[in-house]
Amino acid sequence: MPGDIHARLAALPAFPALTGARVRLREPRSDDADAVFALFADPAVMRYWGSAPMRSRMQAEGKLEEMREAFARREALDWIVADRRSGAALGTCTLFRFDARHRRAEVGYALHASRWGQGLATEAVALALDWSLRTLGLHRVEADIDPRNEASRRLLLRLGFRSEGLLRQRFFIGEDATDSELFGLLAQEWRGRDR
Ligand SMILES: CC(C)(COP(=O)(O)OP(=O)(O)OC[C@H]1O[C@@H](n2cnc3c(N)ncnc32)[C@H](O)[C@@H]1OP(=O)(O)O)[C@@H](O)C(=O)NCCC(=O)NCCS
């Protein structure tokens, strides 16, 4: 049945590894803790993220454990984005909130600031979208961003997402009530886009 996303997730024999020209999406490993800590401890990376920067390496170890457990329960696919050549962990790319009834999921991503502006996150998210739209039979992928997050908004627009509306003061980041902009991409738009 085309809508049976949970069955397709359950049938995955292992964490899917996806390879692009410059990045590789792979399963999280415990030796990624230093890189994951460097990523999520950086206030620049966390500026529009829903949580405070990490303060200890243990938090990164805990996050890696959660990433692995989420896949074991088939609740999320939380990839490590690695440099294809060196293997260095550069960031994360996540598909989560799978909704089998409505054949949709949400996408999120973060990249180490030293590698911003090189198109690497766009490549990583494109790999995750292409794989998930084909393999899981998703109909729609959503992303929810702070509208001030220009890099994230441009990434989504570049990949064919459309801005579908602004939800006012939906999240507190610290003491600030921040707006949330919802983006959506339909499977037929992905298949039909110019490459
Ligand atoms: C969002 C993020 C992953 C983008 O990573 P990236 O590898 O720099 O993105 P890309 O190089 O693929 O660029 C995507 C687009 O953003 C633009 N961009 C990159 N950095 C930018 C910046 N600091 N300000 C404005 N635009 C920027 C690029 O020019 C590109 O636009 P284009 O396609 O129109 O040329 C990265 O900025 C990041 O990790 N931010 C912190 C975490 C975060 O906010 N994640 C999103 C939460 S919803």
Side-chain angles (χ1 to χ4, degrees):
M1 160 184 177
D4 203 349
I5 289 164
H6 290 312
R8 292 181 187 206
L9 281 167
L12 292 174
F15 205 105
L18 312 176
T19 304
R22 293 178 296 163
V23 299
R24 187 171 148 78
L25 272 55
R26 60 157 175 80
E27 70 183 323
R29 301 188 305 238
S30 48
D31 64 355
D32 292 319
D34 286 335
V36 166
F37 180 54
L39 178 68
F40 290 110
D42 181 350
V45 170
M46 302 305 278
R47 182 162 173 210
Y48 302 116
W49 206 262
S51 52
M54 286 183 182
R55 286 159 46 165
S56 80
R57 190 179 182 278
M58 266 179 62
Q59 286 175 281
E61 290 165 9
K63 175 159 179 83
L64 282 162
E65 194 55 39
E66 281 167 23
M67 291 164 80
R68 282 194 296 267
E69 282 172 9
F71 177 69
R73 293 193 302 268
R74 300 299 195 266
E75 280 175 12
L77 283 158
D78 210 345
W79 282 280
I80 291 290
V81 178
D83 185 299
R84 181 176 168 177
R85 267 202 276 173
S86 71
L90 309 177
T92 58
C93 179
T94 313
L95 281 170
F96 61 114
R97 296 213 180 103
F98 291 109
D99 184 327
R101 165 82 181 82
H102 302 291
R103 296 169 58 195
R104 67 171 183 244
E106 225 177 288
V107 67
Y109 35 81
L111 199 78
H112 198 278
S114 65
R115 304 296 297 270
W116 286 358
Q118 301 171 19
L120 299 177
T122 303
E123 184 182 318
V125 177
L127 284 168
L129 289 174
D130 203 54
W131 177 86
S132 60
L133 291 166
R134 286 169 200 271
T135 313
L136 301 179
L138 291 173
H139 177 68
R140 172 183 162 86
V141 179
E142 299 179 350
D144 182 352
I145 75 165
D146 185 314
R148 296 170 299 176
N149 192 346
E150 196 54 31
S152 186
R153 137 193 295 278
R154 289 179 70 113
L155 178 155
L156 293 168
L157 292 173
R158 164 68 59 104
L159 290 176
F161 281 78
R162 294 198 200 166
S163 173
E164 296 179 332
L166 188 76
L167 293 82
R168 295 167 308 141
Q169 303 198 7
R170 185 160 175 247
F171 292 113
F172 272 97
I173 298 190
E175 291 301 304
D176 296 330
T178 60
D179 294 346
S180 172
E181 187 173 1
L182 192 64
F183 284 78
L185 174 78
L186 303 181
Q188 65 261 33
E189 293 166 347
W190 179 256
R191 286 192 296 269
R193 80 194 189 122
D194 287 337
R195 282 169 217 243

